Amino acid sequence: MPHSIGRVETGAAPHPPGRARLPRLPRLARAVRLGAPAAAALLALTTACTGSTVQGRPGASGLRDPYFPKAGNGGYEVDHYGLDLAYDPEKGLLQGKAVITARAEQGLSSFNLDFSGLKVEGVTVQGAGARFNRTGNELTVRPAKDLRNGEVFRTEVRYGGRPKALSDPDGSAEGWIPVADGAFAVGEPVGSMTWFPGNHHPSDKAAYDITLTVPKGYEAVSNGLLGSRTDTGDGRTAFAWHSADPVASYLVTAAVGKFRVTTGRTPSGLPLYTAVSPGEPEGGGPALARLPEMVEWAAGRFGPYPFAAAGAIVAPSETLSYALETQTRPVFSGAPDEELVLHELAHQWFGNSVSPKSWKDMWLNEGFATYAEWLWSEDHGGPSVQRRFDAFVAGDDSVDPAADSDWDEFPPAAPPGPGDISSGPVYYRGAMVLHRIRQEVGDEKFFALLRGWVADHRHGNASTADFTAYAEQKTGTDLSRVWDAWLYGRKALPRP
């Protein structure tokens, strides 16, 4: 995203593109992922084999992320979420059932789920009632029987109420965002816990099946492919969405509104699904009309598009202060401009398919997506990447308004705190790190590096250390000067 965290912030001052922050100025995966049928079969096998007494211990209540230490949970990994949600836009009420299929990574006497606000009505584990309690945003579950190390287990949580948004460390709102005629769910970094319980850290990715039931006259949109649209016979419609490829929970979305929906395909046959709020331009505006072209261009630069579908969700303008690269279907607040569409599309490769191991690794999302913007601009009549790079070094905002910003305030690999992970240095200096690599190794090796990175880490997680090691191995070049001065260095205006 262009800021804020993978999102793009809107505002009068130059801001990074990624959550994509939208300045107003111009501007390894797990070896095996279980599908639902395989998970069910293995579940039946593991639950049948209960032999000796299990000596479990509690799973950790956080993964000690450097910026969000309580995000995520230890002791298990999720393979699949089945979410069955019903939303009443007039009352603002959400009723939900989450079925979470996971694998224990230790013997578990209890485990935690990240969950904020909504009332828990009941929990079962392996079909048996489980005790539970809430402390802050932690839902602690105690199964009737301890879970064995390696056991695949199914947890069902029933819940409901009026979901509430969270405020990020940088002041942005995230989570379940109600509007006059619906709602939009955006989750970076931890907002998804406001509407479903889970292991809410990007290091634990899973497949999703999400059914959204809404009153007739409303559309309900989520990630992946729409499997069915069913009249429930009680004045409501159920929309069933399926994401077979692993998704980090911050990239999961749910949108309810009286959208105008358009569908189509890219020239190479990729399905497109775009939902636009009333009052916004038809189709989301001229920039979104170029999405099929952009998908083909990006595939040529970075390798095949990594998911089964693409598209967009356009919320009413002013709903959010940013855009977010929710997987397969980014959320925009109002009709986006061309660079913003490209930025969020680039995240499908950089951030969505290859996701960060921790929130400290955000430049691997935002720096790459910003560099993709620069490449698109160069190829479509804008300034060259080299000219833009030179403008940032010189502080020349006639080429790019953000060039005279705080892009060099801190190194992109070391944001000072959680409120900085969507700040200018993560976006712009992150992109400049990539250009310095290109200057060192030449175009052929550089673009092979980008394509290799997304191919070799497809649907996985990676850290800054993973990238620096991979870049040197792939290019056969000692890049320590780039890392020292540009990626980790603290000098105020690094120069090549």
Side-chain angles (χ1 to χ4, degrees), residues 11-17 22-27 337 339 373-374 377 383 387-389 391-407 424 428:
H15 232 296
L22 293 176
R24 289 189 185 278
L25 294 167
R27 29 146 308 177
D337 65 21
E339 288 194 354
E373 280 185 64
W374 294 359
S377 177
R387 186 181 173 208
R388 199 179 303 239
F389 177 91
F392 271 85
V393 172
D396 180 4
D397 62 5
S398 68
V399 177
D400 189 315
D404 191 24
S405 69
D406 62 354
W407 66 267
Y428 303 120

Side-chain angles (χ1 to χ4, degrees), residues 158-183:
R158 290 175 287 106
Y159 57 94
R162 288 183 174 83
K164 296 180 180 179
L166 302 176
S167 180
D168 288 351
D170 65 6
S172 303
E174 61 160 327
W176 189 273
I177 312 291
V179 295
D181 269 331

Side-chain angles (χ1 to χ4, degrees), residues 260 275-285 314-319 332-336:
R260 298 187 306 275
V276 179
S277 296
E280 297 301 321
E282 186 73 27
V314 180
S317 58
E318 309 307 322
T319 300
F332 300 98
S333 192

